[in-house]
Amino acid sequence: MIHSAAQLNLTVSLRNLGEHSNLTNVEFDHPFGMSFRKVTIVKSHRNDPIACDDTVTRGGFAMTNCRISHPIFREKSKVVFILTLDISNTNNWSHSIQVNVTASSKNEDPDTLKNNRATLQIPIIHRVNVLVRRWDSTKIVNISLSSQEMKEAVHRFQVENLSMRPMPVNVTFTTTKQLGHGLLWNVSGVTVEKAPTDRVHCVVLGEVEGRTATKVKGTREGCDTDSRLAMHCLVDQLLYNTPLTFALRGYVILTNISKIKTCRLLTVAKVSFDERRYTQAGGEKDKEGFLASEVTTDVEIIQEVNYVPFITGGAVGGLLLLVLIGVILWKAGFFKRAYKDRIDEDQTAVEADPQCTTPLNCDPGSA
């Protein structure tokens, strides 16, 4: 596995089945980008010393040479050791590397050389750190039943490579399209914002049946029956510390009278790559959290109230109440004038005293 501190450990078992061996060497031919780190003796019958270096190159390979118990590797001796090689993280590795291991000595019979060589084909897997996260998106949309208006909703995701190595990735989007009761989000595709178009290629895979819309509190039955739209984007090279922003745009449309109050649009984004060449850093939970994300938008359907009947009813009711209050006050004599009552009293006094010719100046006490 290739990462910033990658190493390759090769376990070698060497046995001398004949007479004493003079100047015994074990040579490792490996690609450039691999260098000797250390040698560790696992098992040795005679405490045979081992010394290694990688100062020699041969053809298109680098070479690490290990000297085994110089000058004499005794007969019937056996040694098991581990050769540790550092692996460069910046080298342009192919799908696999080949390591050739050859044992030799100055006095070996040429007829016995056939078992002195081994070849290893080792697959290369790069450890990477890719992240997809939700970005600036529409959180809530209000739609009126009476106006039949359209409101735009945008779901955005950002995909970033946090490792040093550029790599190709796939990004798959699955989003709500048709919800129950005539609620439609007419997303036609996915676009990449502020990125070279030759690096990213997106296609619409088509509609798939399923349940992508999720209910929120207060939602009535039927909101979660929908169809989904699947889209796929291939990124040729996701560069280090150069995030890409993907946007799904569409208008939310209410095509008929709906009984539901609130629904939720949901888009799920998942990142994948060639797992034969790359592996995500961290554990399984980290992989799920880093390689998948979702964006939601709450859609609230507003039923506008017609206030004209309420205003008319209030005005008529107020008028009737005013008339009723007036009748009650009139019945109680509230509207009789005090001057009229005084004239009536004076007229009564004149009729009682014939001597009084001027009612207003008449002294009721004169005889």
Side-chain angles (χ1 to χ4, degrees), residues 23 31 36 58 125-126 166 172 210 221 275 287 323 349 361 366:
L23 301 179
F36 170 70
R58 180 165 53 198
I125 299 178
H126 299 277
T172 302
E221 194 66 30
E275 295 185 356
K287 293 180 182 180
V323 171
N361 296 323
S366 63

Side-chain angles (χ1 to χ4, degrees), residues 150-367:
M150 298 186 301
K151 292 291 188 67
E152 186 181 35
V154 183
H155 286 184
R156 287 187 179 90
F157 296 88
Q158 194 173 83
V159 179
E160 187 173 2
N161 181 8
L162 302 179
S163 54
M164 298 292 293
R165 175 174 296 276
M167 59 179 295
V169 299
N170 302 301
V171 188
T172 302
F173 303 93
T174 307
T175 186
T176 304
K177 183 175 182 180
Q178 180 74 48
L179 284 82
H181 298 276
L183 194 61
L184 172 68
W185 189 30
N186 63 348
V187 178
S188 59
V190 56
T191 59
V192 184
E193 299 179 345
K194 300 178 181 180
T197 56
D198 58 343
R199 283 174 47 200
V200 185
H201 310 277
C202 296
V203 295
V204 177
L205 300 180
E207 291 188 33
V208 292
E209 297 297 326
R211 292 189 173 187
T212 304
T214 58
K215 290 185 179 182
V216 296
K217 187 175 181 180
T219 302
R220 296 183 180 178
E221 194 66 30
C223 177
D224 57 348
T225 57
D226 69 330
S227 65
R228 300 178 297 165
L229 185 65
M231 291 157 282
H232 177 79
C233 293
L234 172 62
V235 182
D236 293 337
Q237 289 293 319
L238 184 61
L239 305 179
Y240 167 67
N241 203 25
T242 307
L244 298 177
T245 302
F246 297 86
L248 289 77
R249 295 177 177 272
Y251 286 93
V252 181
I253 307 170
L254 189 62
T255 58
N256 55 36
I257 301 300
S258 177
K259 297 180 180 180
I260 59 176
K261 295 181 178 179
T262 307
C263 269
R264 178 171 291 169
L265 305 177
L266 172 65
T267 301
V268 177
K270 294 184 178 180
V271 176
S272 61
F273 42 75
D274 187 355
E275 295 185 356
R276 296 171 300 176
R277 297 197 62 188
Y278 305 97
T279 183
Q280 179 73 4
E284 290 299 324
K285 292 184 178 180
D286 295 331
K287 293 180 182 180
E288 295 178 1
F290 280 29
L291 298 180
S293 183
E294 65 180 42
V295 170
T296 60
T297 298
D298 289 336
V299 181
E300 293 187 354
I301 300 174
I302 302 174
Q303 298 184 4
E304 295 183 353
V305 180
N306 185 5
Y307 291 101
V308 174
F310 295 97
I311 296 174
T312 304
V316 173
L319 182 60
L320 292 176
L321 180 61
L322 183 62
V323 171
L324 179 61
I325 293 173
V327 170
I328 294 173
L329 293 176
W330 180 76
K331 290 289 186 181
F334 180 79
F335 295 102
K336 291 183 178 180
R337 290 168 36 172
Y339 182 74
K340 182 176 180 299
D341 293 341
R342 186 174 177 183
I343 292 179
D344 292 341
E345 292 177 357
D346 292 341
Q347 185 64 33
T348 301
V350 170
E351 292 175 355
D353 186 3
Q355 302 268 340
C356 181
T357 58
T358 307
L360 295 179
N361 296 323
C362 181
D363 183 6
S366 63

Side-chain angles (χ1 to χ4, degrees), residues 12-14 23-29 50-53 63-68 70 73 79 81 83 100-105 116:
V12 180
S13 177
L14 181 67
L23 301 179
T24 303
N25 292 327
V26 179
E27 297 177 349
F28 298 84
D29 294 335
I50 301 176
C52 302
D53 62 69
M63 189 179 73
T64 297
N65 181 42
C66 293
R67 298 177 295 277
I68 310 298
H70 275 204
F73 185 44
V79 63
F81 64 95
L83 179 71
N100 301 316
V101 184
T102 304
S104 64
S105 70
N116 285 27

